[in-house]
mmCIF file of all heavy atoms in Angstrom:
data_model
loop_
_atom_site.group_PDB
_atom_site.id
_atom_site.type_symbol
_atom_site.label_atom_id
_atom_site.label_comp_id
_atom_site.label_asym_id
_atom_site.label_seq_id
_atom_site.Cartn_x
_atom_site.Cartn_y
_atom_site.Cartn_z
ATOM 1 N N LYS A 1318 -30.043 -55.565 -68.034
ATOM 2 C CA LYS A 1318 -28.922 -56.425 -67.618
ATOM 3 C C LYS A 1318 -27.614 -55.923 -68.226
ATOM 4 O O LYS A 1318 -27.609 -55.188 -69.210
ATOM 5 C CB LYS A 1318 -29.174 -57.866 -68.038
ATOM 6 C CG LYS A 1318 -30.363 -58.518 -67.329
ATOM 7 C CD LYS A 1318 -30.436 -59.989 -67.648
ATOM 8 C CE LYS A 1318 -31.563 -60.661 -66.880
ATOM 9 N NZ LYS A 1318 -31.628 -62.124 -67.172
ATOM 10 N N GLU A 1319 -26.520 -56.359 -67.633
ATOM 11 C CA GLU A 1319 -25.211 -56.003 -68.159
ATOM 12 C C GLU A 1319 -24.899 -56.832 -69.402
ATOM 13 O O GLU A 1319 -25.457 -57.908 -69.613
ATOM 14 C CB GLU A 1319 -24.133 -56.229 -67.099
ATOM 15 C CG GLU A 1319 -24.232 -55.291 -65.911
ATOM 16 C CD GLU A 1319 -23.040 -55.414 -64.985
ATOM 17 O OE1 GLU A 1319 -22.211 -56.308 -65.192
ATOM 18 O OE2 GLU A 1319 -22.939 -54.598 -64.054
ATOM 19 N N ARG A 1320 -23.982 -56.305 -70.189
ATOM 20 C CA ARG A 1320 -23.528 -57.041 -71.360
ATOM 21 C C ARG A 1320 -22.850 -58.334 -70.902
ATOM 22 O O ARG A 1320 -22.044 -58.340 -69.979
ATOM 23 C CB ARG A 1320 -22.561 -56.182 -72.156
ATOM 24 C CG ARG A 1320 -22.076 -56.803 -73.442
ATOM 25 C CD ARG A 1320 -21.310 -55.772 -74.260
ATOM 26 N NE ARG A 1320 -22.201 -54.886 -74.986
ATOM 27 C CZ ARG A 1320 -21.789 -53.829 -75.676
ATOM 28 N NH1 ARG A 1320 -20.503 -53.515 -75.692
ATOM 29 N NH2 ARG A 1320 -22.646 -53.071 -76.319
ATOM 30 N N GLU A 1321 -23.179 -59.422 -71.582
ATOM 31 C CA GLU A 1321 -22.727 -60.756 -71.174
ATOM 32 C C GLU A 1321 -21.940 -61.423 -72.285
ATOM 33 O O GLU A 1321 -22.367 -61.428 -73.448
ATOM 34 C CB GLU A 1321 -23.960 -61.602 -70.830
ATOM 35 C CG GLU A 1321 -23.683 -63.051 -70.490
ATOM 36 C CD GLU A 1321 -24.961 -63.877 -70.394
ATOM 37 O OE1 GLU A 1321 -25.982 -63.475 -70.993
ATOM 38 O OE2 GLU A 1321 -24.930 -64.924 -69.732
ATOM 39 N N PHE A 1322 -20.819 -61.994 -71.930
ATOM 40 C CA PHE A 1322 -20.014 -62.743 -72.894
ATOM 41 C C PHE A 1322 -20.760 -64.001 -73.312
ATOM 42 O O PHE A 1322 -21.364 -64.691 -72.479
ATOM 43 C CB PHE A 1322 -18.674 -63.111 -72.264
ATOM 44 C CG PHE A 1322 -17.860 -64.079 -73.073
ATOM 45 C CD1 PHE A 1322 -17.098 -63.638 -74.140
ATOM 46 C CD2 PHE A 1322 -17.865 -65.429 -72.770
ATOM 47 C CE1 PHE A 1322 -16.353 -64.527 -74.894
ATOM 48 C CE2 PHE A 1322 -17.116 -66.323 -73.508
ATOM 49 C CZ PHE A 1322 -16.356 -65.873 -74.565
ATOM 50 N N VAL A 1323 -20.678 -64.329 -74.596
ATOM 51 C CA VAL A 1323 -21.324 -65.531 -75.118
ATOM 52 C C VAL A 1323 -20.295 -66.533 -75.636
ATOM 53 O O VAL A 1323 -20.282 -67.691 -75.214
ATOM 54 C CB VAL A 1323 -22.322 -65.177 -76.240
ATOM 55 C CG1 VAL A 1323 -22.928 -66.452 -76.833
ATOM 56 C CG2 VAL A 1323 -23.411 -64.249 -75.731
ATOM 57 N N ALA A 1324 -19.438 -66.087 -76.541
ATOM 58 C CA ALA A 1324 -18.479 -67.008 -77.155
ATOM 59 C C ALA A 1324 -17.374 -66.209 -77.825
ATOM 60 O O ALA A 1324 -17.553 -65.037 -78.147
ATOM 61 C CB ALA A 1324 -19.175 -67.903 -78.184
ATOM 62 N N ALA A 1325 -16.233 -66.864 -78.037
ATOM 63 C CA ALA A 1325 -15.114 -66.239 -78.730
ATOM 64 C C ALA A 1325 -14.387 -67.282 -79.562
ATOM 65 O O ALA A 1325 -14.472 -68.494 -79.293
ATOM 66 C CB ALA A 1325 -14.160 -65.583 -77.743
ATOM 67 N N ILE A 1326 -13.656 -66.787 -80.563
ATOM 68 C CA ILE A 1326 -12.928 -67.676 -81.458
ATOM 69 C C ILE A 1326 -11.642 -66.988 -81.882
ATOM 70 O O ILE A 1326 -11.606 -65.765 -82.045
ATOM 71 C CB ILE A 1326 -13.812 -68.035 -82.676
ATOM 72 C CG1 ILE A 1326 -13.166 -69.113 -83.541
ATOM 73 C CG2 ILE A 1326 -14.134 -66.800 -83.517
ATOM 74 C CD1 ILE A 1326 -14.110 -69.707 -84.577
ATOM 75 N N ASN A 1327 -10.586 -67.766 -82.058
ATOM 76 C CA ASN A 1327 -9.326 -67.172 -82.481
ATOM 77 C C ASN A 1327 -9.315 -66.983 -83.996
ATOM 78 O O ASN A 1327 -10.265 -67.328 -84.692
ATOM 79 C CB ASN A 1327 -8.134 -68.005 -82.007
ATOM 80 C CG ASN A 1327 -8.057 -69.366 -82.675
ATOM 81 O OD1 ASN A 1327 -9.012 -69.816 -83.297
ATOM 82 N ND2 ASN A 1327 -6.919 -70.030 -82.548
ATOM 83 N N TRP A 1328 -8.220 -66.414 -84.501
ATOM 84 C CA TRP A 1328 -8.169 -66.062 -85.914
ATOM 85 C C TRP A 1328 -8.340 -67.275 -86.824
ATOM 86 O O TRP A 1328 -9.095 -67.237 -87.793
ATOM 87 C CB TRP A 1328 -6.853 -65.365 -86.232
ATOM 88 C CG TRP A 1328 -6.611 -65.190 -87.698
ATOM 89 C CD1 TRP A 1328 -5.736 -65.869 -88.467
ATOM 90 C CD2 TRP A 1328 -7.300 -64.304 -88.582
ATOM 91 N NE1 TRP A 1328 -5.808 -65.436 -89.771
ATOM 92 C CE2 TRP A 1328 -6.774 -64.492 -89.864
ATOM 93 C CE3 TRP A 1328 -8.313 -63.360 -88.396
ATOM 94 C CZ2 TRP A 1328 -7.217 -63.758 -90.965
ATOM 95 C CZ3 TRP A 1328 -8.752 -62.627 -89.493
ATOM 96 C CH2 TRP A 1328 -8.211 -62.839 -90.754
ATOM 97 N N SER A 1329 -7.651 -68.359 -86.497
ATOM 98 C CA SER A 1329 -7.688 -69.525 -87.382
ATOM 99 C C SER A 1329 -8.959 -70.340 -87.216
ATOM 100 O O SER A 1329 -9.273 -71.187 -88.058
ATOM 101 C CB SER A 1329 -6.477 -70.421 -87.125
ATOM 102 O OG SER A 1329 -6.569 -70.997 -85.827
ATOM 103 N N GLY A 1330 -9.661 -70.111 -86.116
ATOM 104 C CA GLY A 1330 -10.838 -70.917 -85.842
ATOM 105 C C GLY A 1330 -10.525 -72.202 -85.101
ATOM 106 O O GLY A 1330 -11.408 -73.016 -84.847
ATOM 107 N N SER A 1331 -9.270 -72.400 -84.745
ATOM 108 C CA SER A 1331 -8.862 -73.636 -84.094
ATOM 109 C C SER A 1331 -9.181 -73.667 -82.617
ATOM 110 O O SER A 1331 -9.140 -74.738 -81.988
ATOM 111 C CB SER A 1331 -7.356 -73.850 -84.286
ATOM 112 O OG SER A 1331 -6.637 -72.793 -83.677
ATOM 113 N N SER A 1332 -9.486 -72.523 -82.048
ATOM 114 C CA SER A 1332 -9.756 -72.445 -80.617
ATOM 115 C C SER A 1332 -11.002 -71.608 -80.369
ATOM 116 O O SER A 1332 -11.175 -70.541 -80.958
ATOM 117 C CB SER A 1332 -8.559 -71.834 -79.886
ATOM 118 O OG SER A 1332 -8.782 -71.801 -78.496
ATOM 119 N N THR A 1333 -11.866 -72.128 -79.495
ATOM 120 C CA THR A 1333 -13.100 -71.436 -79.158
ATOM 121 C C THR A 1333 -13.318 -71.452 -77.647
ATOM 122 O O THR A 1333 -12.693 -72.245 -76.927
ATOM 123 C CB THR A 1333 -14.319 -72.079 -79.838
ATOM 124 O OG1 THR A 1333 -14.384 -73.468 -79.454
ATOM 125 C CG2 THR A 1333 -14.231 -71.985 -81.350
ATOM 126 N N TYR A 1334 -14.205 -70.587 -77.210
ATOM 127 C CA TYR A 1334 -14.477 -70.467 -75.776
ATOM 128 C C TYR A 1334 -15.927 -70.045 -75.622
ATOM 129 O O TYR A 1334 -16.397 -69.179 -76.364
ATOM 130 C CB TYR A 1334 -13.537 -69.424 -75.167
ATOM 131 C CG TYR A 1334 -13.654 -69.222 -73.681
ATOM 132 C CD1 TYR A 1334 -13.571 -70.290 -72.793
ATOM 133 C CD2 TYR A 1334 -13.829 -67.954 -73.151
ATOM 134 C CE1 TYR A 1334 -13.663 -70.094 -71.430
ATOM 135 C CE2 TYR A 1334 -13.921 -67.749 -71.786
ATOM 136 C CZ TYR A 1334 -13.839 -68.820 -70.930
ATOM 137 O OH TYR A 1334 -13.920 -68.626 -69.574
ATOM 138 N N TYR A 1335 -16.636 -70.675 -74.681
ATOM 139 C CA TYR A 1335 -18.057 -70.420 -74.524
ATOM 140 C C TYR A 1335 -18.422 -70.106 -73.078
ATOM 141 O O TYR A 1335 -17.816 -70.626 -72.135
ATOM 142 C CB TYR A 1335 -18.872 -71.652 -74.961
ATOM 143 C CG TYR A 1335 -18.750 -71.985 -76.422
ATOM 144 C CD1 TYR A 1335 -17.797 -72.893 -76.868
ATOM 145 C CD2 TYR A 1335 -19.600 -71.387 -77.359
ATOM 146 C CE1 TYR A 1335 -17.687 -73.202 -78.214
ATOM 147 C CE2 TYR A 1335 -19.494 -71.691 -78.709
ATOM 148 C CZ TYR A 1335 -18.530 -72.600 -79.118
ATOM 149 O OH TYR A 1335 -18.420 -72.909 -80.458
ATOM 150 N N ALA A 1336 -19.437 -69.302 -72.932
ATOM 151 C CA ALA A 1336 -20.040 -69.121 -71.623
ATOM 152 C C ALA A 1336 -20.758 -70.419 -71.249
ATOM 153 O O ALA A 1336 -21.285 -71.124 -72.122
ATOM 154 C CB ALA A 1336 -21.029 -67.961 -71.650
ATOM 155 N N ASP A 1337 -20.789 -70.718 -69.975
ATOM 156 C CA ASP A 1337 -21.433 -71.953 -69.527
ATOM 157 C C ASP A 1337 -22.904 -72.007 -69.936
ATOM 158 O O ASP A 1337 -23.442 -73.079 -70.204
ATOM 159 C CB ASP A 1337 -21.314 -72.077 -68.003
ATOM 160 C CG ASP A 1337 -19.907 -72.396 -67.549
ATOM 161 O OD1 ASP A 1337 -19.085 -72.839 -68.383
ATOM 162 O OD2 ASP A 1337 -19.620 -72.190 -66.353
ATOM 163 N N SER A 1338 -23.526 -70.854 -69.993
ATOM 164 C CA SER A 1338 -24.959 -70.806 -70.267
ATOM 165 C C SER A 1338 -25.311 -71.219 -71.694
ATOM 166 O O SER A 1338 -26.467 -71.544 -71.979
ATOM 167 C CB SER A 1338 -25.496 -69.398 -69.995
ATOM 168 O OG SER A 1338 -24.819 -68.446 -70.796
ATOM 169 N N VAL A 1339 -24.332 -71.212 -72.589
ATOM 170 C CA VAL A 1339 -24.622 -71.548 -73.990
ATOM 171 C C VAL A 1339 -23.844 -72.770 -74.467
ATOM 172 O O VAL A 1339 -24.082 -73.251 -75.583
ATOM 173 C CB VAL A 1339 -24.324 -70.355 -74.925
ATOM 174 C CG1 VAL A 1339 -25.062 -69.112 -74.460
ATOM 175 C CG2 VAL A 1339 -22.826 -70.094 -75.039
ATOM 176 N N LYS A 1340 -22.968 -73.265 -73.646
ATOM 177 C CA LYS A 1340 -22.131 -74.402 -74.036
ATOM 178 C C LYS A 1340 -23.008 -75.590 -74.402
ATOM 179 O O LYS A 1340 -23.929 -75.951 -73.688
ATOM 180 C CB LYS A 1340 -21.182 -74.750 -72.885
ATOM 181 C CG LYS A 1340 -19.963 -75.552 -73.279
ATOM 182 C CD LYS A 1340 -19.017 -75.704 -72.091
ATOM 183 C CE LYS A 1340 -18.453 -74.379 -71.653
ATOM 184 N NZ LYS A 1340 -17.480 -74.537 -70.531
ATOM 185 N N GLY A 1341 -22.707 -76.193 -75.543
ATOM 186 C CA GLY A 1341 -23.481 -77.334 -76.003
ATOM 187 C C GLY A 1341 -24.684 -76.956 -76.849
ATOM 188 O O GLY A 1341 -25.295 -77.822 -77.490
ATOM 189 N N ARG A 1342 -25.048 -75.688 -76.858
ATOM 190 C CA ARG A 1342 -26.193 -75.222 -77.655
ATOM 191 C C ARG A 1342 -25.758 -74.268 -78.762
ATOM 192 O O ARG A 1342 -26.342 -74.266 -79.841
ATOM 193 C CB ARG A 1342 -27.213 -74.516 -76.756
ATOM 194 C CG ARG A 1342 -27.783 -75.378 -75.666
ATOM 195 C CD ARG A 1342 -28.926 -74.662 -74.936
ATOM 196 N NE ARG A 1342 -28.500 -73.422 -74.300
ATOM 197 C CZ ARG A 1342 -28.999 -72.221 -74.588
ATOM 198 N NH1 ARG A 1342 -29.946 -72.090 -75.490
ATOM 199 N NH2 ARG A 1342 -28.557 -71.136 -73.954
ATOM 200 N N PHE A 1343 -24.767 -73.436 -78.481
ATOM 201 C CA PHE A 1343 -24.287 -72.444 -79.439
ATOM 202 C C PHE A 1343 -22.932 -72.873 -79.985
ATOM 203 O O PHE A 1343 -22.129 -73.497 -79.272
ATOM 204 C CB PHE A 1343 -24.128 -71.074 -78.775
ATOM 205 C CG PHE A 1343 -25.415 -70.394 -78.380
ATOM 206 C CD1 PHE A 1343 -26.630 -71.063 -78.394
ATOM 207 C CD2 PHE A 1343 -25.404 -69.068 -77.994
ATOM 208 C CE1 PHE A 1343 -27.804 -70.434 -78.027
ATOM 209 C CE2 PHE A 1343 -26.565 -68.409 -77.624
ATOM 210 C CZ PHE A 1343 -27.758 -69.103 -77.633
ATOM 211 N N THR A 1344 -22.686 -72.501 -81.235
ATOM 212 C CA THR A 1344 -21.402 -72.781 -81.873
ATOM 213 C C THR A 1344 -20.910 -71.526 -82.577
ATOM 214 O O THR A 1344 -21.646 -70.935 -83.372
ATOM 215 C CB THR A 1344 -21.519 -73.920 -82.892
ATOM 216 O OG1 THR A 1344 -22.016 -75.100 -82.237
ATOM 217 C CG2 THR A 1344 -20.159 -74.239 -83.503
ATOM 218 N N ILE A 1345 -19.673 -71.150 -82.295
ATOM 219 C CA ILE A 1345 -19.053 -70.024 -82.989
ATOM 220 C C ILE A 1345 -18.071 -70.589 -84.008
ATOM 221 O O ILE A 1345 -17.331 -71.541 -83.727
ATOM 222 C CB ILE A 1345 -18.352 -69.068 -81.992
ATOM 223 C CG1 ILE A 1345 -17.847 -67.824 -82.716
ATOM 224 C CG2 ILE A 1345 -17.243 -69.776 -81.224
ATOM 225 C CD1 ILE A 1345 -17.330 -66.733 -81.757
ATOM 226 N N PHE A 1346 -18.093 -70.042 -85.201
ATOM 227 C CA PHE A 1346 -17.145 -70.455 -86.225
ATOM 228 C C PHE A 1346 -16.933 -69.292 -87.180
ATOM 229 O O PHE A 1346 -17.683 -68.302 -87.156
ATOM 230 C CB PHE A 1346 -17.610 -71.715 -86.963
ATOM 231 C CG PHE A 1346 -18.939 -71.607 -87.670
ATOM 232 C CD1 PHE A 1346 -18.994 -71.412 -89.043
ATOM 233 C CD2 PHE A 1346 -20.133 -71.710 -86.975
ATOM 234 C CE1 PHE A 1346 -20.209 -71.327 -89.704
ATOM 235 C CE2 PHE A 1346 -21.360 -71.628 -87.623
ATOM 236 C CZ PHE A 1346 -21.396 -71.434 -89.000
ATOM 237 N N ARG A 1347 -15.910 -69.389 -88.002
ATOM 238 C CA ARG A 1347 -15.594 -68.268 -88.876
ATOM 239 C C ARG A 1347 -15.172 -68.746 -90.249
ATOM 240 O O ARG A 1347 -14.657 -69.849 -90.402
ATOM 241 C CB ARG A 1347 -14.528 -67.386 -88.236
ATOM 242 C CG ARG A 1347 -13.169 -68.002 -88.058
ATOM 243 C CD ARG A 1347 -12.306 -67.160 -87.091
ATOM 244 N NE ARG A 1347 -12.098 -65.808 -87.591
ATOM 245 C CZ ARG A 1347 -11.598 -64.815 -86.844
ATOM 246 N NH1 ARG A 1347 -11.271 -65.040 -85.580
ATOM 247 N NH2 ARG A 1347 -11.431 -63.607 -87.356
ATOM 248 N N ASP A 1348 -15.379 -67.900 -91.214
ATOM 249 C CA ASP A 1348 -14.956 -68.113 -92.592
ATOM 250 C C ASP A 1348 -14.085 -66.923 -92.960
ATOM 251 O O ASP A 1348 -14.596 -65.859 -93.319
ATOM 252 C CB ASP A 1348 -16.181 -68.226 -93.506
ATOM 253 C CG ASP A 1348 -15.804 -68.481 -94.951
ATOM 254 O OD1 ASP A 1348 -14.622 -68.337 -95.302
ATOM 255 O OD2 ASP A 1348 -16.702 -68.809 -95.744
ATOM 256 N N ASN A 1349 -12.782 -67.091 -92.869
ATOM 257 C CA ASN A 1349 -11.884 -65.958 -93.099
ATOM 258 C C ASN A 1349 -11.869 -65.515 -94.559
ATOM 259 O O ASN A 1349 -11.538 -64.370 -94.846
ATOM 260 C CB ASN A 1349 -10.474 -66.297 -92.623
ATOM 261 C CG ASN A 1349 -10.365 -66.281 -91.112
ATOM 262 O OD1 ASN A 1349 -11.197 -65.692 -90.416
ATOM 263 N ND2 ASN A 1349 -9.356 -66.940 -90.585
ATOM 264 N N ALA A 1350 -12.215 -66.392 -95.449
ATOM 265 C CA ALA A 1350 -12.292 -66.000 -96.863
ATOM 266 C C ALA A 1350 -13.392 -64.958 -97.067
ATOM 267 O O ALA A 1350 -13.326 -64.147 -97.989
ATOM 268 C CB ALA A 1350 -12.550 -67.216 -97.732
ATOM 269 N N ARG A 1351 -14.389 -65.002 -96.195
ATOM 270 C CA ARG A 1351 -15.496 -64.041 -96.246
ATOM 271 C C ARG A 1351 -15.418 -63.012 -95.126
ATOM 272 O O ARG A 1351 -16.331 -62.207 -94.962
ATOM 273 C CB ARG A 1351 -16.836 -64.774 -96.183
ATOM 274 C CG ARG A 1351 -17.171 -65.596 -97.409
ATOM 275 C CD ARG A 1351 -18.514 -66.297 -97.253
ATOM 276 N NE ARG A 1351 -18.994 -66.852 -98.512
ATOM 277 C CZ ARG A 1351 -18.607 -68.009 -98.999
ATOM 278 N NH1 ARG A 1351 -17.757 -68.746 -98.333
ATOM 279 N NH2 ARG A 1351 -19.089 -68.447 -100.151
ATOM 280 N N ASN A 1352 -14.334 -63.068 -94.341
ATOM 281 C CA ASN A 1352 -14.186 -62.159 -93.189
ATOM 282 C C ASN A 1352 -15.430 -62.171 -92.312
ATOM 283 O O ASN A 1352 -15.902 -61.125 -91.845
ATOM 284 C CB ASN A 1352 -13.895 -60.729 -93.658
ATOM 285 C CG ASN A 1352 -12.489 -60.579 -94.204
ATOM 286 O OD1 ASN A 1352 -11.564 -61.261 -93.778
ATOM 287 N ND2 ASN A 1352 -12.333 -59.689 -95.172
ATOM 288 N N THR A 1353 -15.969 -63.345 -92.095
ATOM 289 C CA THR A 1353 -17.241 -63.469 -91.390
ATOM 290 C C THR A 1353 -17.126 -64.445 -90.220
ATOM 291 O O THR A 1353 -16.523 -65.510 -90.350
ATOM 292 C CB THR A 1353 -18.350 -63.940 -92.348
ATOM 293 O OG1 THR A 1353 -18.457 -63.014 -93.431
ATOM 294 C CG2 THR A 1353 -19.690 -64.029 -91.630
#
């Protein structure tokens, strides 16, 4: 299969975006203090 988008997050973590197939099940978040 082709590479598929799952989720994205902005630098501050204030904005996120999900593929419909994972919405409500997956959560993207970040810890900038850990660059993770």
Side-chain angles (χ1 to χ4, degrees):
K1318 294 188 176 181
E1319 293 188 353
R1320 183 171 280 174
E1321 175 190 23
F1322 170 81
V1323 177
I1326 188 168
N1327 67 346
W1328 170 253
S1329 67
S1331 62
S1332 182
T1333 57
Y1334 182 53
Y1335 295 93
D1337 288 343
S1338 58
V1339 306
K1340 200 174 295 183
R1342 300 188 299 120
F1343 291 11
T1344 302
I1345 186 171
F1346 59 101
R1347 66 195 299 168
D1348 181 347
N1349 286 341
R1351 291 180 168 82
N1352 288 329
T1353 302

